[in-house]
PDB file of all heavy atoms in Angstrom:
ATOM      1  N   ILE A 116       9.572 -13.385 -13.730  1.00  0.00           N
ATOM      2  CA  ILE A 116       9.220 -14.798 -13.536  1.00  0.00           C
ATOM      3  C   ILE A 116       9.053 -15.145 -12.060  1.00  0.00           C
ATOM      4  O   ILE A 116       8.182 -15.929 -11.686  1.00  0.00           O
ATOM      5  CB  ILE A 116      10.227 -15.735 -14.249  1.00  0.00           C
ATOM      6  CG1 ILE A 116       9.650 -17.134 -14.346  1.00  0.00           C
ATOM      7  CG2 ILE A 116      11.585 -15.711 -13.550  1.00  0.00           C
ATOM      8  CD1 ILE A 116      10.287 -17.975 -15.415  1.00  0.00           C
ATOM      9  N   PHE A 117       9.851 -14.523 -11.187  1.00  0.00           N
ATOM     10  CA  PHE A 117       9.734 -14.736  -9.741  1.00  0.00           C
ATOM     11  C   PHE A 117       8.350 -14.294  -9.265  1.00  0.00           C
ATOM     12  O   PHE A 117       7.692 -14.996  -8.497  1.00  0.00           O
ATOM     13  CB  PHE A 117      10.843 -13.952  -9.023  1.00  0.00           C
ATOM     14  CG  PHE A 117      10.735 -13.941  -7.533  1.00  0.00           C
ATOM     15  CD1 PHE A 117      11.015 -15.081  -6.793  1.00  0.00           C
ATOM     16  CD2 PHE A 117      10.381 -12.783  -6.858  1.00  0.00           C
ATOM     17  CE1 PHE A 117      10.930 -15.074  -5.410  1.00  0.00           C
ATOM     18  CE2 PHE A 117      10.297 -12.762  -5.476  1.00  0.00           C
ATOM     19  CZ  PHE A 117      10.569 -13.912  -4.748  1.00  0.00           C
ATOM     20  N   HIS A 118       7.899 -13.146  -9.738  1.00  0.00           N
ATOM     21  CA  HIS A 118       6.583 -12.643  -9.343  1.00  0.00           C
ATOM     22  C   HIS A 118       5.466 -13.511  -9.926  1.00  0.00           C
ATOM     23  O   HIS A 118       4.506 -13.849  -9.235  1.00  0.00           O
ATOM     24  CB  HIS A 118       6.410 -11.186  -9.800  1.00  0.00           C
ATOM     25  CG  HIS A 118       5.230 -10.518  -9.171  1.00  0.00           C
ATOM     26  ND1 HIS A 118       3.963 -10.651  -9.665  1.00  0.00           N
ATOM     27  CD2 HIS A 118       5.134  -9.728  -8.077  1.00  0.00           C
ATOM     28  CE1 HIS A 118       3.127  -9.968  -8.915  1.00  0.00           C
ATOM     29  NE2 HIS A 118       3.809  -9.401  -7.941  1.00  0.00           N
ATOM     30  N   GLN A 119       5.609 -13.887 -11.187  1.00  0.00           N
ATOM     31  CA  GLN A 119       4.565 -14.667 -11.863  1.00  0.00           C
ATOM     32  C   GLN A 119       4.419 -16.070 -11.297  1.00  0.00           C
ATOM     33  O   GLN A 119       3.311 -16.589 -11.206  1.00  0.00           O
ATOM     34  CB  GLN A 119       4.865 -14.754 -13.355  1.00  0.00           C
ATOM     35  CG  GLN A 119       4.742 -13.445 -14.078  1.00  0.00           C
ATOM     36  CD  GLN A 119       5.224 -13.551 -15.518  1.00  0.00           C
ATOM     37  OE1 GLN A 119       5.449 -14.618 -16.053  1.00  0.00           O
ATOM     38  NE2 GLN A 119       5.396 -12.403 -16.153  1.00  0.00           N
ATOM     39  N   GLN A 120       5.547 -16.701 -10.950  1.00  0.00           N
ATOM     40  CA  GLN A 120       5.482 -18.108 -10.544  1.00  0.00           C
ATOM     41  C   GLN A 120       5.511 -18.331  -9.039  1.00  0.00           C
ATOM     42  O   GLN A 120       5.189 -19.417  -8.585  1.00  0.00           O
ATOM     43  CB  GLN A 120       6.620 -18.885 -11.207  1.00  0.00           C
ATOM     44  CG  GLN A 120       6.444 -18.952 -12.701  1.00  0.00           C
ATOM     45  CD  GLN A 120       7.478 -19.828 -13.378  1.00  0.00           C
ATOM     46  OE1 GLN A 120       8.354 -20.398 -12.757  1.00  0.00           O
ATOM     47  NE2 GLN A 120       7.378 -19.934 -14.688  1.00  0.00           N
ATOM     48  N   LEU A 121       5.893 -17.308  -8.268  1.00  0.00           N
ATOM     49  CA  LEU A 121       5.955 -17.502  -6.819  1.00  0.00           C
ATOM     50  C   LEU A 121       5.125 -16.466  -6.064  1.00  0.00           C
ATOM     51  O   LEU A 121       4.155 -16.814  -5.386  1.00  0.00           O
ATOM     52  CB  LEU A 121       7.413 -17.463  -6.334  1.00  0.00           C
ATOM     53  CG  LEU A 121       7.599 -17.684  -4.840  1.00  0.00           C
ATOM     54  CD1 LEU A 121       7.144 -19.081  -4.427  1.00  0.00           C
ATOM     55  CD2 LEU A 121       9.036 -17.457  -4.439  1.00  0.00           C
ATOM     56  N   VAL A 122       5.476 -15.203  -6.181  1.00  0.00           N
ATOM     57  CA  VAL A 122       4.834 -14.171  -5.365  1.00  0.00           C
ATOM     58  C   VAL A 122       3.326 -14.111  -5.614  1.00  0.00           C
ATOM     59  O   VAL A 122       2.526 -14.218  -4.676  1.00  0.00           O
ATOM     60  CB  VAL A 122       5.482 -12.787  -5.604  1.00  0.00           C
ATOM     61  CG1 VAL A 122       4.728 -11.694  -4.866  1.00  0.00           C
ATOM     62  CG2 VAL A 122       6.950 -12.807  -5.184  1.00  0.00           C
ATOM     63  N   SER A 123       2.919 -13.938  -6.856  1.00  0.00           N
ATOM     64  CA  SER A 123       1.499 -13.789  -7.161  1.00  0.00           C
ATOM     65  C   SER A 123       0.682 -15.038  -6.807  1.00  0.00           C
ATOM     66  O   SER A 123      -0.330 -14.925  -6.105  1.00  0.00           O
ATOM     67  CB  SER A 123       1.308 -13.414  -8.627  1.00  0.00           C
ATOM     68  OG  SER A 123      -0.046 -13.149  -8.898  1.00  0.00           O
ATOM     69  N   PRO A 124       1.089 -16.237  -7.232  1.00  0.00           N
ATOM     70  CA  PRO A 124       0.286 -17.413  -6.880  1.00  0.00           C
ATOM     71  C   PRO A 124       0.171 -17.642  -5.373  1.00  0.00           C
ATOM     72  O   PRO A 124      -0.902 -18.017  -4.878  1.00  0.00           O
ATOM     73  CB  PRO A 124       1.031 -18.577  -7.546  1.00  0.00           C
ATOM     74  CG  PRO A 124       1.798 -17.963  -8.654  1.00  0.00           C
ATOM     75  CD  PRO A 124       2.170 -16.590  -8.160  1.00  0.00           C
ATOM     76  N   VAL A 125       1.246 -17.403  -4.642  1.00  0.00           N
ATOM     77  CA  VAL A 125       1.198 -17.605  -3.187  1.00  0.00           C
ATOM     78  C   VAL A 125       0.289 -16.554  -2.540  1.00  0.00           C
ATOM     79  O   VAL A 125      -0.538 -16.882  -1.688  1.00  0.00           O
ATOM     80  CB  VAL A 125       2.616 -17.581  -2.570  1.00  0.00           C
ATOM     81  CG1 VAL A 125       2.558 -17.507  -1.058  1.00  0.00           C
ATOM     82  CG2 VAL A 125       3.401 -18.807  -3.016  1.00  0.00           C
ATOM     83  N   ALA A 126       0.411 -15.304  -2.961  1.00  0.00           N
ATOM     84  CA  ALA A 126      -0.445 -14.254  -2.410  1.00  0.00           C
ATOM     85  C   ALA A 126      -1.914 -14.529  -2.727  1.00  0.00           C
ATOM     86  O   ALA A 126      -2.790 -14.358  -1.871  1.00  0.00           O
ATOM     87  CB  ALA A 126      -0.019 -12.887  -2.935  1.00  0.00           C
ATOM     88  N   GLU A 127      -2.202 -14.967  -3.947  1.00  0.00           N
ATOM     89  CA  GLU A 127      -3.579 -15.300  -4.322  1.00  0.00           C
ATOM     90  C   GLU A 127      -4.119 -16.413  -3.429  1.00  0.00           C
ATOM     91  O   GLU A 127      -5.266 -16.345  -2.970  1.00  0.00           O
ATOM     92  CB  GLU A 127      -3.642 -15.739  -5.778  1.00  0.00           C
ATOM     93  CG  GLU A 127      -3.384 -14.633  -6.771  1.00  0.00           C
ATOM     94  CD  GLU A 127      -3.156 -15.162  -8.177  1.00  0.00           C
ATOM     95  OE1 GLU A 127      -3.881 -16.105  -8.596  1.00  0.00           O
ATOM     96  OE2 GLU A 127      -2.258 -14.639  -8.869  1.00  0.00           O
ATOM     97  N   LYS A 128      -3.302 -17.412  -3.189  1.00  0.00           N
ATOM     98  CA  LYS A 128      -3.735 -18.526  -2.340  1.00  0.00           C
ATOM     99  C   LYS A 128      -3.959 -18.070  -0.898  1.00  0.00           C
ATOM    100  O   LYS A 128      -4.959 -18.421  -0.276  1.00  0.00           O
ATOM    101  CB  LYS A 128      -2.710 -19.653  -2.393  1.00  0.00           C
ATOM    102  CG  LYS A 128      -3.152 -20.897  -1.669  1.00  0.00           C
ATOM    103  CD  LYS A 128      -2.211 -22.053  -1.905  1.00  0.00           C
ATOM    104  CE  LYS A 128      -2.772 -23.276  -1.203  1.00  0.00           C
ATOM    105  NZ  LYS A 128      -2.221 -24.495  -1.704  1.00  0.00           N
ATOM    106  N   LEU A 129      -3.027 -17.274  -0.370  1.00  0.00           N
ATOM    107  CA  LEU A 129      -3.163 -16.777   1.001  1.00  0.00           C
ATOM    108  C   LEU A 129      -4.388 -15.879   1.142  1.00  0.00           C
ATOM    109  O   LEU A 129      -5.058 -15.889   2.176  1.00  0.00           O
ATOM    110  CB  LEU A 129      -1.902 -16.023   1.425  1.00  0.00           C
ATOM    111  CG  LEU A 129      -0.661 -16.879   1.656  1.00  0.00           C
ATOM    112  CD1 LEU A 129       0.571 -15.997   1.845  1.00  0.00           C
ATOM    113  CD2 LEU A 129      -0.849 -17.795   2.861  1.00  0.00           C
ATOM    114  N   LEU A 130      -4.680 -15.118   0.113  1.00  0.00           N
ATOM    115  CA  LEU A 130      -5.851 -14.246   0.132  1.00  0.00           C
ATOM    116  C   LEU A 130      -7.138 -15.009  -0.177  1.00  0.00           C
ATOM    117  O   LEU A 130      -8.225 -14.459  -0.075  1.00  0.00           O
ATOM    118  CB  LEU A 130      -5.684 -13.110  -0.883  1.00  0.00           C
ATOM    119  CG  LEU A 130      -4.670 -12.030  -0.525  1.00  0.00           C
ATOM    120  CD1 LEU A 130      -4.335 -11.174  -1.746  1.00  0.00           C
ATOM    121  CD2 LEU A 130      -5.175 -11.165   0.607  1.00  0.00           C
ATOM    122  N   ASP A 131      -7.003 -16.260  -0.568  1.00  0.00           N
ATOM    123  CA  ASP A 131      -8.141 -17.102  -0.933  1.00  0.00           C
ATOM    124  C   ASP A 131      -8.932 -16.481  -2.084  1.00  0.00           C
ATOM    125  O   ASP A 131     -10.154 -16.376  -2.050  1.00  0.00           O
ATOM    126  CB  ASP A 131      -9.045 -17.353   0.275  1.00  0.00           C
ATOM    127  CG  ASP A 131     -10.018 -18.495   0.038  1.00  0.00           C
ATOM    128  OD1 ASP A 131      -9.701 -19.399  -0.772  1.00  0.00           O
ATOM    129  OD2 ASP A 131     -11.109 -18.487   0.645  1.00  0.00           O
ATOM    130  N   ILE A 132      -8.183 -16.084  -3.113  1.00  0.00           N
ATOM    131  CA  ILE A 132      -8.796 -15.463  -4.280  1.00  0.00           C
ATOM    132  C   ILE A 132      -8.935 -16.500  -5.383  1.00  0.00           C
ATOM    133  O   ILE A 132      -7.964 -17.127  -5.795  1.00  0.00           O
ATOM    134  CB  ILE A 132      -7.959 -14.265  -4.767  1.00  0.00           C
ATOM    135  CG1 ILE A 132      -8.018 -13.164  -3.712  1.00  0.00           C
ATOM    136  CG2 ILE A 132      -8.455 -13.769  -6.115  1.00  0.00           C
ATOM    137  CD1 ILE A 132      -7.229 -11.954  -4.054  1.00  0.00           C
ATOM    138  N   VAL A 133     -10.165 -16.680  -5.840  1.00  0.00           N
ATOM    139  CA  VAL A 133     -10.465 -17.607  -6.918  1.00  0.00           C
ATOM    140  C   VAL A 133     -11.031 -16.789  -8.072  1.00  0.00           C
ATOM    141  O   VAL A 133     -11.918 -15.951  -7.870  1.00  0.00           O
ATOM    142  CB  VAL A 133     -11.501 -18.660  -6.461  1.00  0.00           C
ATOM    143  CG1 VAL A 133     -11.846 -19.613  -7.593  1.00  0.00           C
ATOM    144  CG2 VAL A 133     -10.984 -19.424  -5.244  1.00  0.00           C
ATOM    145  N   HIS A 134     -10.514 -17.021  -9.265  1.00  0.00           N
ATOM    146  CA  HIS A 134     -10.937 -16.256 -10.446  1.00  0.00           C
ATOM    147  C   HIS A 134     -12.464 -16.239 -10.559  1.00  0.00           C
ATOM    148  O   HIS A 134     -13.114 -17.275 -10.553  1.00  0.00           O
ATOM    149  CB  HIS A 134     -10.317 -16.840 -11.711  1.00  0.00           C
ATOM    150  CG  HIS A 134     -10.604 -16.028 -12.932  1.00  0.00           C
ATOM    151  ND1 HIS A 134     -10.091 -14.761 -13.113  1.00  0.00           N
ATOM    152  CD2 HIS A 134     -11.381 -16.272 -14.004  1.00  0.00           C
ATOM    153  CE1 HIS A 134     -10.517 -14.278 -14.251  1.00  0.00           C
ATOM    154  NE2 HIS A 134     -11.304 -15.173 -14.813  1.00  0.00           N
ATOM    155  N   GLY A 135     -13.006 -15.040 -10.640  1.00  0.00           N
ATOM    156  CA  GLY A 135     -14.442 -14.875 -10.832  1.00  0.00           C
ATOM    157  C   GLY A 135     -15.266 -15.012  -9.562  1.00  0.00           C
ATOM    158  O   GLY A 135     -16.473 -14.815  -9.582  1.00  0.00           O
TER     159      GLY A 135
END
Side-chain angles (χ1 to χ4, degrees):
I116 195 159
F117 173 72
H118 193 276
Q119 292 173 12
Q120 293 186 359
L121 181 64
V122 174
S123 185
V125 169
E127 291 168 41
K128 186 172 183 161
L129 289 171
L130 288 165
D131 195 27
I132 293 179
V133 179
H134 185 67

